[in-house]
Amino acid sequence: MGTHWLCCGGFFWSELAMDADTDGSGGPDESGRRRKVHGMLKLYYGLDEEGKISEKSQSLDPCDINGPHFDPELYLNKLRRECSLAELMDQETCMVKQIRSLDSDMQTLVYENYNKFISATDTIRKMKNDFKKMEDEMDCLSANMAAITDFSANISGTLQDQHAQITKLSAVHTLLRKLQFLFELPARLNKCLELKAYAQAVSFHRRARCVLQQYSHLPSFKGIQDDCHAIMDMLAQELRQRFRDGGTSAKDLSECVELLLQLDEPAEELCDKFLSHARSRLEADLQGLEAEIRPYPTAVKDASARRSSAGSPTDSSPKTSSLPSPTPNTDILEFIDRGCNEFVSSLCLVIASYQELFINHAQTGELASKNIPQMANRKLHVFVDDLAAQYFSLVERRIQEEKGVSDNSLLVRALDRFHRRLQAVSKLLPNSTVPNQGTEIVIRAATERVKQYLAALQSFYMDSLTDVRQALAAPRLSVAGGTGSGGGPHLGGGATSRDAPNSLPELLSILSASILNQIKSVLASVHLFTAKDITFSNKPYFKGEFCSQGVRESLVVNFIKFVCQSSRQFCESAGDKGGSTPPALLLLLSRLCLDFETSTISYILTLTDEQFLVQHHSPVTPVTILCTEAREAAQKLLNHYVKVQGLNISQMLRKSVETRDWVNTIEPRNVRAVMKRVVEDATSIDVQVGLLYEEGVRKAHSSDSSKRTFSVYSSSRQQVRYAASYTPSAPMDTNLLSNIHKLFSERIDIFSSVEFNKVSVMTGIIKISLKTFLECVRLRTFGRYGLQQIQVDCHYLQMYLWRFVSDENLVHFLLDEIVGSCAHRCLDPSPMEQSVIEVICERG
């Protein structure tokens, strides 16, 4: 029984604990302590947060001191078994503290809720008294309402006989008042005209118009009707005059139009008059804008156009800064601001006023059945489209004058303001095409801007190449003893070039960095069109097609293609002797295109895709195609460089062979100077190519590579060839032996493509040079000493040229062919001893 009472009391005290949660007394610490105490009580009694009995499964452990199946004896036995004496003492101390804390919390809850019990008792007692008094008042009110109902019924019964008579007299009185109004109507209308109360006059006339029309067959009513018509004609004339003046306020004008429409004035005529007056003011604003577009005489522009069209058709790199365009008095942003603040604002005001006059008001009252809104709306659209077309024409003309690409932010801000202000027209005229036309203007301006940036990039690239050519020409002038044959082989090569401030690696680095920086700058400027704070950037065009086709394809991809194509043109324009293009420039451009293929193109396109969030929904140019094109350009440039340098050396060898009398020459005592020059030029070219390309792979050289010329030329096979060629008793034609020897020799492709390394480039140049030397020797006739001189020259070339090629056997074979051809063309083939040749070459 005591346990049951304790549980019920505990539940009751837990309810008090929950009520105490809502008490506002005490600070934060006090409220926190109370919540802790209440939580412990709820936990003990198995209550949830709402005070309801929790449905969670209860613990069945008899040793759980908080569970309903707790057994003290088992719990004590467990503690005795598992705990030491000190732990038992600590457990006892802890339980004593918890018991005291719970007792203290229980007393606190009782004390805190005692006043609430007292207050609740008083409130219940007071409510009993108040409800008793309210019942008495309701009974009294019901009795009063019944008395009032009885009195009302008595009054209605008393006056029922007189109600019909009163209604009849009221109808007669109303009829008399209407007749009095009709007879007094002309006087009233005249008075309204004097007081300029035009709205009141129209209202009076509309009230009486139907009655006068119905009884116009009576003479008295006919006279009143004629007088009213005359007065209303005067009123209509006055309103037309006010409407034509246009100097009144918008409110008065609206009232004037509304009154004219109520007087059956033709609505179409009123619309035309209103729009005509508005057109005159808006065209004045357009004329002011047009005056700002033409600050210079037309003749100046025509002359500029003629100068532009008279340019060279072969110039494939348009320069936007070649002819300065006329600069208006105001910048593009000021021009757009003026157009928006004057023309667009006035146009919006006209649209709003027109709609208020002829569309909104005409949809109510008697005018709704005349279909005025449809007619007025059609005229308004024609009016707006016509003036907007004139305004857009001026804006496009002004945008076309923005030829400079230094600062793109001003144009973007102007286009943003232009597009933003046109949205007001779309709100006033939801079905108007004006906002879409404005968006198309912005799109065309952005597209044209991209074209201008492409032209600027192309111009910058061509100017950069001009600077590179000038830098390449400067060191050449300071090299003593340099030749200018065919562009000069000393460009960018030699020790002087290594110490020069504008060496080939530095020029390549500067050119690549400047191109990349210029592209980044252009992308940053074009990116303004897609900025988040620009209103038209959320249009589908600027999110998709502008980024993919406009920026990526039309700007970046086209510029990369232009770089490759313009570089290839240096190969096509140059003649067989090198033309005016320095060989060093060909080498530098080949390395530039190769760098484009390996890294630059991928970096630029990746940067563009990330910066503009390019969505590849529409077909775009793959990176591999551009890289392939760049590699082809690099290959063509390098092949042409090899051809030009080979022909430069070949020209010296050809002149040295063609200008000498080889039959009557003296016995050779030294190496000819042209051979020394060939070796010097080959060394210079080797240094020049090594500045930009890697070494490459060579075949293993023999230990006597510099002396193999002598051993080859002095072999028994060669001696037999020379002797048999010019011995009458030769058993076999030596030409046949030579041809048989060529069949078993490896074929040499003179003008084959070279690889991107120094060894391959030098091999190609030396092949062209020695092949030219061979062909020149085959066209000449030699004497004894002429053959010996060729032997000396070829041995000298062998001493140095084998170091530059990938396979020394190639040099051996070509020099062998040169000496063999010379021997075939010699009248007295007597070769020089090898030891003498070596002495002459070492001395030379």
Side-chain angles (χ1 to χ4, degrees):
M1 183 70 178
T3 305
H4 178 71
W5 180 89
L6 181 59
C7 292
C8 294
F11 180 77
F12 177 72
W13 290 116
S14 67
E15 291 291 334
L16 294 180
M18 286 188 288
D19 294 339
D21 285 341
T22 61
D23 190 4
S25 61
D29 297 338
E30 185 67 18
S31 61
R33 187 184 68 80
R34 290 179 182 177
R35 284 193 297 270
K36 182 179 179 181
V37 172
H38 299 159
M40 294 173 63
L41 290 174
K42 291 177 181 178
L43 179 63
Y44 177 76
Y45 291 107
L47 303 179
D48 56 11
E49 294 297 330
E50 299 179 356
K52 299 179 180 179
I53 298 177
S54 176
E55 297 179 356
K56 296 181 179 179
S57 61
Q58 298 178 349
S59 176
L60 301 178
D61 187 8
C63 295
D64 185 4
I65 196 171
N66 295 321
H69 302 280
F70 175 68
D71 189 348
E73 293 297 331
L74 293 176
Y75 182 72
L76 289 175
N77 292 334
K78 181 181 180 181
L79 288 179
R80 292 192 192 101
R81 288 194 308 269
E82 296 178 356
C83 302
S84 62
L85 180 60
E87 292 176 347
L88 289 174
M89 296 297 292
D90 294 339
Q91 188 73 17
E92 179 189 10
T93 303
C94 181
M95 293 183 67
V96 169
K97 288 182 181 180
Q98 292 179 359
I99 292 170
R100 289 177 180 176
S101 176
L102 290 173
D103 291 341
S104 176
D105 293 338
M106 188 73 72
Q107 292 175 5
T108 301
L109 289 175
V110 172
Y111 177 75
E112 289 177 351
N113 290 279
Y114 178 75
N115 291 332
K116 294 182 180 180
F117 284 127
I118 301 302
S119 176
T121 305
D122 294 339
T123 302
I124 294 171
R125 186 182 301 111
K126 185 177 180 181
M127 288 176 64
K128 290 181 178 180
N129 296 332
D130 292 342
F131 277 116
K132 180 63 177 177
K133 183 178 179 181
M134 187 179 297
E135 288 177 0
D136 297 338
E137 292 179 354
M138 291 299 294
D139 293 339
C140 181
L141 179 60
S142 178
N144 292 335
M145 292 297 293
I148 291 172
T149 302
D150 294 339
F151 286 138
S152 177
N154 293 334
I155 293 172
S156 296
T158 304
L159 298 177
Q160 186 175 5
D161 297 337
Q162 299 178 0
H163 181 69
Q165 187 177 359
I166 291 173
T167 301
K168 183 178 180 180
L169 291 175
S170 177
V172 173
H173 181 265
T174 301
L175 179 59
L176 292 175
R177 290 183 60 184
K178 289 181 178 179
L179 291 175
Q180 183 181 2
F181 176 78
L182 290 176
F183 287 117
E184 293 178 356
L185 182 58
R188 288 175 180 268
L189 295 178
N190 287 325
K191 187 66 175 178
C192 290
L193 287 180
E194 293 177 2
L195 298 177
K196 295 186 178 181
Y198 303 133
Q200 188 69 27
V202 174
S203 178
F204 289 159
H205 182 261
R206 290 180 61 194
R207 288 170 56 186
R209 182 168 52 184
C210 294
V211 177
L212 292 175
Q213 183 67 26
Q214 183 178 359
Y215 297 99
S216 60
H217 59 281
L218 299 177
S220 57
F221 287 96
K222 180 64 175 176
I224 295 173
Q225 185 181 24
D226 294 340
D227 294 341
C228 291
H229 282 174
I231 295 171
M232 296 311 295
D233 288 341
M234 295 174 57
L235 175 60
Q237 186 65 26
E238 180 66 22
L239 291 175
R240 292 192 197 96
Q241 185 62 36
R242 291 179 60 184
F243 181 76
R244 283 194 295 268
D245 292 342
T248 57
S249 63
K251 181 179 179 181
D252 294 339
L253 186 62
S254 176
E255 181 182 2
C256 179
V257 172
E258 184 177 2
L259 294 177
L260 287 172
L261 291 175
Q262 292 177 1
L263 292 175
D264 295 332
E265 189 75 13
E268 186 171 359
E269 182 180 349
L270 291 177
C271 292
D272 292 337
K273 290 181 180 179
F274 182 87
L275 295 178
S276 176
H277 178 72
R279 181 185 293 273
S280 61
R281 290 181 296 171
L282 292 174
E283 287 181 347
D285 295 337
L286 293 177
Q287 290 176 359
L289 291 176
E290 188 174 9
E292 293 188 7
I293 300 179
R294 298 181 297 182
Y296 292 91
T298 308
V300 176
K301 295 185 179 180
D302 295 340
S304 301
R306 287 194 297 270
R307 288 196 299 270
S308 300
S309 62
S312 175
T314 60
D315 188 9
S316 60
S317 57
K319 299 182 180 181
T320 56
S321 59
S322 59
L323 290 175
S325 59
T327 304
N329 295 331
T330 58
D331 57 36
I332 182 67
L333 184 59
E334 294 178 358
F335 178 83
I336 294 297
D337 272 339
R338 179 174 177 180
C340 292
N341 295 333
E342 294 180 1
F343 175 77
V344 179
S345 298
S346 300
L347 182 62
C348 292
L349 181 61
V350 168
I351 294 173
S353 301
Y354 183 88
Q355 289 177 334
E356 185 68 22
L357 294 176
F358 300 102
I359 298 177
N360 298 335
H361 284 175
Q363 292 177 352
T364 60
E366 297 179 359
L367 302 175
S369 60
K370 297 183 179 181
N371 295 327
I372 295 177
Q374 292 78 0
M375 178 274 299
N377 195 31
R378 184 171 60 255
K379 287 184 174 293
L380 179 61
H381 277 81
V382 174
F383 170 80
V384 172
D385 292 343
D386 184 20
L387 287 175
Q390 299 180 34
Y391 174 62
F392 290 155
S393 176
L394 295 177
V395 171
E396 286 196 285
R397 285 171 54 189
R398 181 61 184 84
I399 292 175
Q400 290 175 359
E401 294 182 1
E402 292 296 311
K403 298 298 184 182
V405 292
S406 58
D407 185 13
N408 197 39
S409 61
L410 201 63
L411 176 63
V412 175
R413 287 169 55 196
L415 293 176
D416 176 56
R417 194 160 303 177
F418 169 74
H419 183 269
R420 190 191 302 269
R421 293 297 294 271
L422 287 181
Q423 302 311 307
V425 180
S426 65
K427 294 179 180 179
L428 293 173
L429 287 177
N431 297 326
S432 176
T433 60
V434 171
N436 293 333
Q437 293 176 1
T439 303
E440 291 176 359
I441 290 177
V442 175
I443 291 174
R444 287 196 293 270
T447 305
E448 183 64 26
R449 200 62 163 178
V450 170
K451 293 180 181 178
Q452 293 176 7
Y453 274 113
L454 175 61
L457 282 176
Q458 294 172 349
S459 175
F460 171 80
Y461 176 71
M462 299 307 295
D463 292 341
S464 299
L465 291 186
T466 303
D467 296 338
V468 169
R469 297 184 70 160
Q470 294 176 355
L472 291 174
R476 181 178 60 183
L477 298 177
S478 62
V479 177
T483 63
S485 173
H490 295 286
L491 275 174
T496 306
S497 178
R498 288 179 179 270
D499 300 332
N502 289 329
S503 62
L504 282 180
E506 293 176 354
L507 288 176
L508 177 63
S509 176
I510 293 173
L511 180 61
S512 300
S514 61
I515 292 174
L516 193 58
N517 292 334
Q518 196 72 10
I519 292 176
K520 290 181 178 179
S521 177
V522 168
L523 290 178
S525 298
V526 177
H527 190 260
L528 295 175
F529 284 101
T530 60
K532 293 182 179 180
D533 57 341
I534 302 301
T535 56
F536 57 77
S537 63
N538 58 358
K539 295 293 181 181
Y541 173 80
F542 286 96
K543 286 186 176 181
E545 186 177 355
F546 176 77
C547 297
S548 61
Q549 299 299 321
V551 178
R552 190 186 190 276
E553 294 297 310
S554 299
L555 182 61
V556 178
V557 173
N558 283 350
F559 176 68
I560 293 174
K561 291 182 177 179
F562 172 80
V563 171
C564 299
Q565 293 172 0
S566 60
S567 300
R568 293 165 68 100
Q569 288 178 357
F570 286 102
C571 303
E572 298 171 358
S573 61
D576 294 338
K577 297 182 180 180
S580 60
T581 304
L585 181 61
L586 297 173
L587 184 66
L588 186 144
L589 289 179
S590 69
R591 185 66 203 189
L592 177 67
C593 293
L594 185 63
D595 292 341
F596 266 57
E597 185 262 340
T598 55
S599 61
T600 307
I601 292 177
S602 300
Y603 173 75
I604 293 174
L605 292 180
T606 302
L607 178 66
T608 304
D609 293 344
E610 292 177 353
Q611 190 169 356
F612 288 86
L613 301 177
V614 176
Q615 303 292 333
H616 293 184
H617 299 308
S618 56
V620 296
T621 305
V623 179
T624 54
I625 293 180
L626 295 176
C627 292
T628 302
E629 186 173 352
R631 188 173 186 86
E632 290 176 355
Q635 185 69 62
K636 187 172 183 179
L637 285 165
L638 194 60
N639 292 341
H640 194 68
Y641 172 80
V642 171
K643 179 180 178 181
V644 170
Q645 292 287 41
L647 293 179
N648 287 336
I649 298 177
S650 299
Q651 186 179 10
M652 293 188 296
L653 293 173
R654 180 182 295 110
K655 290 182 179 180
S656 67
V657 174
E658 293 176 351
T659 57
R660 189 180 184 94
D661 185 3
W662 293 99
V663 176
N664 300 318
T665 185
I666 62 175
E667 184 179 0
R669 291 291 182 264
N670 50 28
V671 181
R672 289 188 299 155
V674 66
M675 299 302 164
K676 299 179 181 179
R677 176 64 186 276
V678 168
V679 173
E680 291 176 359
D681 287 357
T683 305
S684 177
I685 294 172
D686 181 74
V687 173
Q688 185 183 76
V689 177
L691 294 175
L692 297 181
Y693 285 99
E694 301 296 331
E695 180 70 22
V697 180
R698 301 176 185 268
K699 290 185 179 180
H701 295 155
S702 61
S703 58
D704 59 343
S705 298
S706 60
K707 298 181 180 180
R708 288 189 60 180
T709 304
F710 173 75
S711 62
V712 171
Y713 299 150
S714 60
S715 64
S716 59
R717 178 178 61 84
Q718 292 296 329
Q719 293 291 347
V720 170
R721 175 189 297 180
Y722 302 153
S725 298
Y726 300 97
T727 304
S729 62
M732 186 176 181
D733 190 1
T734 55
N735 289 329
L736 179 60
L737 292 175
S738 177
N739 293 331
I740 293 175
H741 173 68
K742 291 180 180 179
L743 290 176
F744 294 95
S745 300
E746 184 178 357
R747 181 178 180 274
I748 299 176
D749 191 359
I750 302 299
F751 293 99
S752 61
S753 295
V754 297
E755 299 178 0
F756 295 101
N757 57 70
K758 185 178 71 173
V759 172
S760 180
V761 172
M762 294 304 301
T763 302
I765 295 174
I766 291 175
K767 284 194 300 182
I768 294 174
S769 303
L770 296 183
K771 183 65 175 178
T772 304
F773 192 14
L774 174 61
E775 297 301 326
C776 293
V777 167
R778 287 177 176 174
L779 299 176
R780 307 294 294 179
T781 301
F782 296 87
R784 175 181 179 181
Y785 296 123
L787 172 62
Q788 295 178 1
Q789 183 65 56
I790 294 296
Q791 282 185 279
V792 173
D793 293 342
C794 289
H795 183 79
Y796 183 81
L797 292 178
Q798 170 60 32
M799 292 174 59
Y800 296 99
L801 295 185
W802 67 271
R803 298 180 177 89
F804 301 123
V805 298
S806 59
D807 186 3
E808 59 180 323
N809 293 325
L810 184 144
V811 176
H812 301 330
F813 177 77
L814 290 175
L815 293 176
D816 186 10
E817 287 294 321
I818 292 172
V819 176
S821 296
C822 182
H824 287 306
R825 302 291 298 171
C826 182
L827 301 178
D828 183 14
S830 300
M832 181 179 289
E833 294 294 332
Q834 180 65 24
S835 58
V836 179
I837 295 175
E838 292 179 358
V839 171
I840 294 175
C841 292
E842 290 175 0
R843 185 180 59 192

